[in-house]
Amino acid sequence: MKIKRYVVREMQEAIRLIKQDLGPEAVIVSSYRVPSKGLAGFFTPRLLEVTAALDEPHEINLRLKRAPAQLTAAAGNTAGRQTHPAAPLPLKQQGHGGRTLYLTGGGHGAKQQGNPVNGRPAVEPGANADTGVRFVQPGHERGNLFEMIVNKEIGASRGEDLVINWREALLKMDVDENIVDSLLSDLGSESSQPGAESENAYLHIKRQIIRLLEPAYIQAPKARVLTFVGPTGVGKTTTLAKLATKLSLDEQKKIALVAVQTYRLGAMEQLQVYGDFLGIPVEVVMTPAELGRVLENHADKDYILVDTAGRSARNNGQLLELKSFLNAVGEPQDIFLVLSLTTKNRDLNKIVYEFQRIKCSKIIFTKLDETETFGSVLNVVNNYGMPVAYLADGQGIPDCISEAKPRSIAELLFRGVDPDETMAT
């Protein structure tokens, strides 16, 4: 059996190619509309994928011990005594699974026109010209076998395409290749109804992502001191202001703001504006000892949010200086590593790796509104085991920030992804 697939614009083109390649006996077993590759696929008409199959029956030639000449003689003797051709004699052949082989009239050298009856030749159509033996396969068995083989081939091909297309989609989301392989390891193992493959695959991958993230989200008591660290330009101060507004206005918590001021100019003024707006105290510290005293002075506060200057992950001196401030906190604290989703995957891994020296406990991703791919969120959690606490997607205070959970991260990854567009078979 030959099975071949064509991707064309119209069905007429597919029919022409099928006849050209497989002949007029081929049958169309499936056809689907598929999107074009890349971003252009969202703006161009869908292509048509057509799968055709050609059943190739196999003749079984049976070598008889009886010589062809003897068959001819026997046929000649019989022809003189009969007005009709002899009925085929069933010959059971154990070597062919108990199926029936039919010995028909006519042998080596027999003429096709010998005693035709009702226009039928003495040698049955499909019989071997030399031995007169042909294999007759029951029609219903042949049809079932053909259908079974086609369904098996199409199902296997569809499953392979499903994995290939979702693998390509996840890689385009910037998900690490090893994570993609893990998510797709058993895709397609569950049976599904035709036409539901894309939706089932989407739900399956989403569940796998949630399971992958859950170990990092083991519940731990929230600390009173919330410290924000990270590279320059990722939005630490703005993120702090968003959370401070939520805690103060929405949750009615008593809070204080602290700015670690070592070399950054203008940070104090920005933080003071937020403090004046919320009516909360703002402190500035220059040394680790000052930070310790300020925390003691605000022992009555529910939360103290500490803003720090941006540090380069490549500057060991700056990281050690930051660590000295964090060590001055004499109580449990949540250290939020603030990262921008516009940063390249490789650079993100480097930043998280280097900031592990100061024992960051949670991650905040900012600038979701400035990118179209969110695989980095999954990569960081999987590679370093730290949960993502918040996701910030704009400059609005306090609306443009939300708490992150495994389910919300899984939904974020598939933002704007249509399962039917991803499914190409």
Side-chain angles (χ1 to χ4, degrees), residues 341 365 374-382 388 391 409 412-413:
L341 261 180
F365 274 105
F374 309 100
S376 300
V377 179
L378 179 60
N379 299 338
V380 170
V381 177
N382 179 75
V388 175
L391 297 168
I409 293 175
L412 172 68
L413 260 65

Side-chain angles (χ1 to χ4, degrees), residues 71-316:
L71 280 175
T72 305
N77 294 335
T78 306
R81 296 193 299 270
Q82 294 180 346
T83 58
H84 300 285
L89 301 177
L91 176 65
K92 296 291 184 180
Q93 179 68 19
Q94 298 299 326
H96 295 279
R99 293 175 294 182
T100 303
L101 297 176
Y102 289 93
L103 179 63
T104 62
H108 183 71
K111 296 181 179 180
Q112 294 292 330
Q113 68 273 17
N115 295 332
V117 178
N118 295 329
R120 296 175 57 191
V123 179
E124 299 227 1
N128 186 279
D130 293 332
T131 64
V133 178
R134 68 185 180 93
F135 170 63
V136 179
Q137 189 176 19
H140 70 278
E141 292 181 5
R142 179 179 178 185
N144 290 343
L145 178 62
F146 175 77
E147 183 179 355
M148 181 174 61
I149 294 175
V150 168
N151 289 340
K152 181 179 179 181
E153 293 290 336
I154 297 302
S157 173
R158 188 176 298 166
E160 292 174 0
D161 288 345
L162 185 69
V163 173
I164 291 173
N165 291 332
W166 275 107
R167 177 182 174 83
E168 181 180 350
L170 290 169
L171 290 175
K172 286 182 178 179
M173 297 176 195
D174 287 338
V175 179
D176 284 345
E177 188 172 0
N178 63 316
I179 300 178
V180 172
D181 293 338
S182 175
L183 295 175
L184 302 180
S185 59
D186 58 349
L187 181 63
S189 60
E190 301 176 358
S191 60
S192 61
Q193 295 297 324
E197 294 91 346
S198 58
E199 183 67 20
N200 288 345
Y202 165 75
L203 295 175
H204 172 82
I205 296 172
K206 187 175 178 180
R207 287 193 298 267
Q208 291 293 94
I209 291 173
I210 293 173
R211 290 171 187 164
L212 193 65
L213 293 169
E214 282 176 342
Y217 283 81
I218 299 175
Q219 291 295 330
K222 291 185 177 180
R224 187 178 76 101
V225 178
L226 310 179
T227 306
F228 297 78
V229 302
T232 58
V234 296
K236 290 184 298 299
T237 303
T238 303
T239 301
L240 180 148
K242 294 176 181 179
L243 290 180
T245 304
K246 277 185 173 292
L247 292 172
S248 178
L249 299 182
D250 296 346
E251 301 182 22
Q252 297 295 309
K253 301 294 184 181
K254 295 173 61 178
I255 65 173
L257 306 182
V258 178
V260 176
Q261 184 85 344
T262 54
Y263 59 87
R264 184 174 53 165
L265 301 177
M268 174 57 194
E269 289 78 6
Q270 183 182 5
L271 205 61
Q272 189 65 58
V273 170
Y274 295 136
D276 293 341
F277 173 76
L278 297 173
I280 57 179
V282 178
E283 304 279 0
V284 179
V285 299
M286 303 291 292
T287 65
E290 290 180 4
L291 176 60
R293 287 194 296 269
V294 167
L295 295 179
E296 292 177 0
N297 294 338
H298 290 284
D300 62 322
K301 300 299 188 294
D302 296 316
Y303 291 100
I304 299 176
L305 284 68
V306 181
D307 187 28
T308 66
R311 261 78 173 180
S312 171
R314 300 178 180 274
N315 192 318
N316 294 331

Side-chain angles (χ1 to χ4, degrees), residues 35-44 168-169 172 421:
S36 303
K37 301 293 184 181
L39 293 177
F42 292 97
F43 307 101
T44 58
E168 181 180 350
K172 286 182 178 179
E421 294 288 344

Side-chain angles (χ1 to χ4, degrees), residues 343-404:
T343 308
K344 292 184 295 184
N345 246 329
R346 184 174 178 178
D347 293 336
L348 278 176
N349 280 324
K350 175 68 174 177
I351 292 169
V352 178
Y353 177 80
E354 296 296 341
F355 269 87
Q356 279 186 314
R357 301 181 189 181
I358 61 175
K359 299 181 179 179
C360 300
S361 56
K362 298 178 181 178
I363 296 172
I364 297 176
F365 274 105
T366 65
K367 303 187 179 182
L368 273 69
D369 56 318
E370 298 181 19
T371 183
E372 295 181 349
T373 57
F374 309 100
S376 300
V377 179
L378 179 60
N379 299 338
V380 170
V381 177
N382 179 75
N383 295 338
Y384 297 97
M386 284 190 292
V388 175
Y390 295 96
L391 297 168
D393 60 353
Q395 297 296 316
I397 299 175
D399 298 328
C400 295
I401 192 169
S402 59
E403 192 172 358

